[in-house]
Amino acid sequence: MLRFLVRRSLGALVILLIISMVTFALFFAIPADPARLSCGKVCTPENLALIRHSMQLDQPVPLQFWHWFSGIFTGRDFGGAGYCNAPCFGYSYVKQEMITNTLIDRFPTTLSLTVGSAVIFLIFGIGTGMLAANKQGKPADKIASSASLIASSLQIYVAGPLALWALVYSTNWLQLPAYVPITQDPIGWFTGLLVPWLVLSLIWTANYTRMTRSSMVEQLSEDYVRTARAKGMSGRSVFLRYAWRGAMGTIVTVFGIDLGVLLGGAIITENTFGLQGLGQLSIDSIRQSDLSMMVGVTMVAATLIVVSNIVVDAAYALIDPRIRLA
């Protein structure tokens, strides 16, 4: 198991190195001057020269990449802007602050949104999918399948405003979405994110309902399941002990990818509900042409996705011994 995780971790490091090189190359592929974009509207020649020197744009590109990449692990000095401790993703001249500090401030919002919605759509999605598979061909199966098909066709930018109108503006049943740190006000944290959780989990619940049902139906038709039934095992034992365990592999794999994407920034969800997380930060960076911030957000999102995949590989190896023995 340890060797399996070491191989996956080394592969992840190589992937992150490639992603960092591609991201940095795209940073210089744009036709505009990165220093000019970072300088803002009121930009004097002195400030432009200072920013260009701080970004090492007066050095060869390979050396610039090395300063940027090594700075992630060792920190960097930005002169008058101050010293950036590791992990350092650079300095935003648009926001006038260290990128790492901004990422740390925004990440709890995205994390709260992701964890809360994931708990909801896993419980209801997997539960409904198992019920539909167990009642295959019966009314419960048809209702669950039809409802999941309708819900999966919804989009956040449509369901979000409708939910705000129905639950907040018209009825005042729930409060307007806002992020409050859970350490300051747990109740405010819960109520402030409840509407985004419900909307986001509605769509993902539909996807996991269909996936769970499909995987369970496939497992129930396998030879080992029929053999267990032929030996006299009860339908409940066969369903939970054999079919459910066989279907877990697919669910865990897809969930790991989805979790990494959500942690990287639920862009549409955060923009719809005005939540200041990583997704909204990426949109603001594009609007403000803050290239340094865009690179930092991209690297953090890529790292979260890669780490999530490593966790999935470990979980999958625990579920299926053949994976870690291969």
Side-chain angles (χ1 to χ4, degrees):
M1 182 65 176
L2 181 60
R3 293 178 59 187
F4 174 81
L5 292 177
V6 170
R7 290 199 304 269
R8 288 293 186 270
S9 299
L10 292 176
L13 291 176
V14 174
I15 292 175
L16 287 176
L17 177 60
I18 295 174
I19 292 175
S20 65
M21 295 174 65
V22 172
T23 303
F24 196 82
L26 291 175
F27 180 77
F28 288 94
I30 60 173
D33 181 7
R36 182 70 185 180
L37 291 175
S38 300
C39 193
K41 296 181 179 180
V42 182
C43 183
T44 63
E46 293 77 11
N47 289 336
L48 183 61
L50 179 62
I51 293 175
R52 182 173 284 109
H53 178 71
S54 298
M55 298 177 71
Q56 279 98 30
L57 295 177
D58 52 354
Q59 299 181 10
V61 174
L63 192 58
Q64 295 176 34
F65 173 76
W66 170 249
H67 285 306
W68 175 78
F69 186 76
S70 62
I72 297 178
F73 305 96
T74 61
R76 288 177 62 186
D77 186 9
F78 289 93
Y83 185 81
C84 177
N85 295 317
C88 177
F89 292 97
Y91 181 80
S92 171
Y93 290 93
V94 175
K95 293 184 177 296
Q96 297 293 314
E97 60 184 0
M98 299 297 175
I99 295 175
T100 303
N101 296 336
T102 305
L103 295 174
I104 292 175
D105 291 339
R106 298 293 188 95
F107 183 68
T109 303
T110 301
L111 179 63
S112 299
L113 179 64
T114 299
V115 173
S117 60
V119 170
I120 297 175
F121 70 66
L122 281 178
I123 293 175
F124 287 95
I126 295 176
T128 306
M130 292 178 63
L131 175 64
N134 193 36
K135 303 293 183 180
Q136 185 179 358
K138 297 181 179 180
D141 177 28
K142 296 179 181 179
I143 293 174
S145 299
S146 300
S148 64
L149 182 61
I150 295 173
S152 62
S153 63
L154 294 175
Q155 298 296 327
I156 295 292
Y157 51 80
V158 175
L162 289 176
L164 288 174
W165 174 80
L167 300 176
V168 179
Y169 299 122
S170 296
T171 60
N172 290 323
W173 288 347
L174 299 175
Q175 72 178 52
L176 192 67
Y179 173 74
V180 178
I182 189 173
T183 54
Q184 296 181 8
D185 184 5
I187 297 178
W189 171 82
F190 179 82
T191 56
L193 292 174
L194 186 55
V195 176
W197 285 344
L198 293 176
V199 174
L200 187 60
S201 62
L202 175 65
I203 299 174
W204 289 82
T205 294
N207 296 333
Y208 276 80
T209 296
R210 299 170 62 190
M211 179 178 60
T212 303
R213 181 192 179 279
S214 176
S215 299
M216 291 293 293
V217 169
E218 181 181 355
Q219 290 298 318
L220 289 171
S221 63
E222 293 289 341
D223 292 337
Y224 72 91
V225 173
R226 290 197 293 265
T227 301
R229 286 173 172 170
K231 290 182 177 180
M233 293 188 65
S234 64
R236 182 176 180 179
S237 298
V238 172
F239 188 82
L240 295 177
R241 184 175 178 181
Y242 292 98
W244 163 237
R245 185 174 182 179
M248 281 182 63
T250 302
I251 298 172
V252 169
T253 301
V254 176
F255 174 67
I257 299 174
D258 293 341
L259 183 64
V261 172
L262 288 173
L263 285 173
I267 297 177
I268 300 178
T269 305
E270 292 181 3
N271 187 52
T272 300
F273 295 103
L275 299 175
Q276 299 300 315
L278 294 181
Q280 186 62 45
L281 179 62
S282 63
I283 295 177
D284 295 339
S285 301
I286 294 173
R287 290 173 177 172
Q288 300 169 0
S289 298
D290 191 349
L291 299 181
S292 299
M293 186 67 73
M294 290 166 57
V295 172
V297 173
T298 302
M299 284 303 302
V300 170
T303 302
L304 291 172
I305 294 175
V306 171
V307 172
S308 297
N309 278 272
I310 295 177
V311 175
V312 168
D313 289 338
Y316 200 73
L318 292 175
I319 297 171
D320 191 348
R322 295 172 299 178
I323 300 298
R324 63 176 179 267
L325 293 177

